[in-house]
Amino acid sequence: MTRSREKVLADIMVLIFRLNGRLLEQGDRLVAGLDLTSARWQVLGALALAGRALSAPQIAEAMGITRQGVQKQLNLLLEEGVVERRVNPSHERSPLYALTGLGEHRYAEATRRCDDWAAVLGEGLSDEALGMTETTLSTLLARLQHPVPPGPV
Amino acid sequence: MTRSREKVLADIMVLIFRLNGRLLEQGDRLVAGLDLTSARWQVLGALALAGRALSAPQIAEAMGITRQGVQKQLNLLLEEGVVERRVNPSHERSPLYALTGLGEHRYAEATRRCDDWAAVLGEGLSDEALGMTETTLSTLLARLQHPVPPGPV
DNA sequence: CCCCTAACGACAACTCGTTGTCAAATGTGA
DNA sequence: TCACATTTGACAACGAGTTGTCGTTAGGGG
């Protein structure tokens, strides 16, 4: 055996910490000039993928962060005119948010840049390696979100 | 073909963002009661792995973050007595930092808890999947740290 | 030997996420 | 219908990271 499974897991965790930092950094660089940051871009992504107006808590749910964090970005995005409020028929004080024309345009441009960049980033990595990485990470995430199924803690 | 490589890459990125959040959360929970947080724990880890006293910038280099971020944690760790300053023969104003006995004890306990937890977390994942994930992530990180080798930007 | 640059610690300001509290709106069960 | 728990937005405080500036120290080339 090469190394213990725990060691490999620990290495993967460190890699995730660093990748998180570098991805946010490169993401910010990628959308600089579009009046976006990684955080705002992700909010736009949640709206674009949903294909419909969402409330702040719904966006937070989709992004896996808290509603307060999302709300902060939404208020800024509103000021910049990339999202707009719509009345929520089922809640008076909690409006829905949708992309404006400007927002859709900016998101499309960000997506184009990201795809180009991702193509370069993934060069030479086999489909198998990418697929297995995605599967493994998503298994780990699932276990982390539901605290640790069995075992006495 | 199932999905484009860009889509898989994008999914992996989102997974990394979420895993980062969950890992820090679980890490904090894991070392709660040891007067540690994920950030302080990582600093202790850098010192323990080096096996010798390091300066703040050296720790930052090892952790992949800035020296200011490390310094902030070091100042707190000093107050708690888990690390101590040592004179740096090659720099008067930049001391070296080393684990105290208390620090080594706490780090050992944190490591024990982490290994137990990692064993549960990795259950059922094949060595091949873990190894390939580690390799893929480390390739991605290398490309992110050296901005994007070829290609006209 | 002196001057200039690089590296360092301290400090402040900022981003992005978290938690917690408060008040208003919603939904549910007796 | 009314009481109560849940959900929501606003606000404040905090943790962890970043950048930038300032003054000091180390190191190298004229």
Side-chain angles (χ1 to χ4, degrees), chain A residues 1-148:
Chain A
M1 106 181 164
T2 53
R3 284 176 308 157
S4 73
R5 302 167 60 74
E6 287 81 8
K7 288 282 183 191
V8 178
L9 251 315
D11 280 356
I12 289 175
M13 293 180 200
V14 172
L15 284 168
I16 288 171
F17 293 147
R18 297 202 181 175
L19 279 164
N20 182 72
R22 297 315 129 213
L23 285 173
L24 289 176
E25 180 180 283
Q26 297 284 334
D28 282 340
R29 197 180 58 79
L30 210 57
V31 295
L34 294 179
D35 271 328
L36 287 178
T37 63
S38 292
R40 307 202 214 306
W41 179 15
Q42 275 188 276
V43 173
L44 299 190
L47 289 175
L49 283 174
R52 61 191 180 84
L54 298 176
S55 70
Q58 286 173 329
I59 297 172
E61 167 71 24
M63 291 175 61
I65 62 178
T66 59
R67 66 194 170 82
Q68 289 90 334
V70 169
Q71 191 73 49
K72 202 179 288 188
Q73 302 302 328
L74 280 173
N75 292 339
L76 295 169
L77 290 168
L78 273 172
E79 287 177 16
E80 295 181 2
V82 300
V83 304
E84 64 184 6
R85 276 195 240 251
R86 298 202 183 154
V87 288
N88 186 344
S90 66
H91 200 301
E92 183 176 320
R93 286 182 55 222
S94 184
L96 300 177
Y97 297 88
L99 294 178
T100 61
L102 177 62
E104 302 214 22
H105 180 267
R106 291 222 181 137
Y107 181 70
E109 171 62 15
T111 300
R112 197 189 60 74
R113 294 188 190 183
C114 183
D115 283 353
D116 290 353
W117 175 69
V120 174
L121 195 63
E123 256 175 24
L125 292 171
S126 69
D127 288 357
E128 184 197 8
L130 289 176
M132 191 169 283
T133 296
E134 186 194 7
T135 303
T136 303
L137 294 183
S138 106
T139 300
L140 291 176
L141 180 61
R143 293 187 183 180
L144 285 169
Q145 282 177 332
H146 308 294
V148 167

Side-chain angles (χ1 to χ4, degrees), chain B residues 39-40 43 56 59-60 63 65-77:
Chain B
R40 306 202 215 305
V43 173
I59 297 171
M63 291 176 63
I65 63 178
T66 59
R67 65 194 169 83
Q68 288 89 335
V70 169
Q71 191 72 50
K72 204 180 287 188
Q73 300 305 327
L74 280 174
N75 292 339
L76 295 170
L77 290 169

Side-chain angles (χ1 to χ4, degrees), chain B residues 2-5 9 18 21-23 25-26 43 46 60 66 69 73 80 85 89-90 98 105-107 121 128 134 146:
Chain B
T2 54
R3 285 175 306 156
S4 73
R5 302 166 60 74
L9 251 316
R18 296 202 183 175
R22 296 316 128 213
L23 285 174
E25 182 181 282
Q26 296 286 334
V43 173
T66 59
Q73 300 305 327
E80 295 182 4
R85 276 195 239 252
S90 64
H105 181 267
R106 292 222 180 138
Y107 181 70
L121 194 64
E128 184 197 8
E134 186 195 6
H146 308 293

